[in-house]
Amino acid sequence: YFEEAAALAPESEAAQLLLSRAKEAAGEEEEARAAQERAVELAPGNANLRLRLAELALKAGDEEAAVGQYRTLVETFPEVPRYRALLGKALLLAGNGEAAEEQFGEATDLSPLSEEVYADVGTALRDAGRLPAAAARYERAVDLQPKNPLYNLELGRIYSTLSTAGGRDEEYFEKAEQALVRAASQQSASGSSD
């Protein structure tokens, strides 16, 4: 049905997006990416379409294509820290740690008191396997918003992984326990299913 809809409306980015999602759900990754590329061609200024294309590229192991999509977002929207954090993650995965750190620094410089920016950078570092650096960013996010259960939970998870990464590390184990107890004792954010 989505293929038929895309054929009936070949100039509709929405039809291409729906086709891309259907193809991805069916396990047809290349076709999903091709439909998403077409959607981006039809609406090059749509950040959400470009973000999804970058995610599909990362999923396929094409870090360079993801870097290109995130670079376009950063160039188009230079004041959005999240795009810089995502570009940093793609750069790390592509093996360019120096450029990644530059993007992470610029993201936090844009909004140095935003716990969300530190969490975004922490998530990017975690996804790239840089756990000590991810923990440092989440520590800052928790410093800025200590009652956020999600930040405490993620920090606890990272500490937990670090506590067993090179054998048992009691310091990280204790930090993990403290962060997870804090997360469990806090109320969920209103309106959040988390």
Side-chain angles (χ1 to χ4, degrees):
Y1 289 116
F2 289 116
E3 287 171 346
E4 289 178 21
L8 289 171
E11 300 303 312
S12 168
E13 71 270 9
Q16 294 298 323
L17 173 62
L18 292 171
L19 177 60
S20 174
R21 287 184 177 160
K23 291 288 188 179
E24 184 180 20
E28 299 173 16
E29 302 298 328
E30 287 300 316
E31 293 87 350
R33 191 167 162 192
Q36 192 66 34
E37 286 171 351
R38 178 72 180 131
V40 169
E41 287 172 16
L42 293 168
N46 186 319
N48 290 327
L49 294 177
R50 201 168 287 279
L51 282 170
R52 180 167 159 64
L53 180 56
E55 290 168 10
L56 289 172
L58 283 178
K59 205 172 178 183
D62 189 352
E63 291 85 8
E64 292 302 320
V67 165
Q69 295 303 319
Y70 289 131
R71 267 197 209 288
T72 300
L73 283 168
V74 166
E75 290 166 4
T76 307
F77 306 100
E79 300 299 317
V80 179
R82 180 170 180 258
Y83 298 159
R84 291 184 181 278
L86 292 169
L87 174 57
K89 171 184 164 181
L91 287 165
L92 271 180
L93 293 172
N96 193 343
E98 188 175 315
E101 284 301 323
E102 183 179 319
Q103 290 302 317
F104 294 145
E106 288 185 31
T108 54
D109 287 348
L110 282 170
S111 194
L113 297 178
S114 170
E115 72 281 350
E116 189 175 335
V117 172
Y118 285 97
D120 285 344
V121 172
T123 298
L125 287 161
R126 180 206 62 206
D127 291 350
R130 306 282 177 103
L131 297 182
R137 296 325 196 287
Y138 266 101
E139 286 167 356
R140 182 66 179 136
V142 168
D143 285 345
L144 290 168
Q145 191 174 18
K147 294 185 179 184
N148 185 308
L150 297 177
Y151 297 159
N152 281 290
L153 175 62
E154 191 54 44
L155 182 58
R157 287 177 175 162
I158 293 168
Y159 284 153
S160 178
T161 302
L162 286 169
S163 74
T164 59
R168 187 172 170 94
D169 185 322
E170 287 298 322
E171 183 179 346
Y172 277 126
F173 182 82
E174 288 175 22
K175 287 181 175 183
E177 184 177 30
Q178 291 168 359
L180 293 171
V181 166
R182 265 194 321 270
S185 67
Q186 295 166 344
Q187 295 293 326
S188 295
S190 64
S192 170
S193 63
D194 298 319

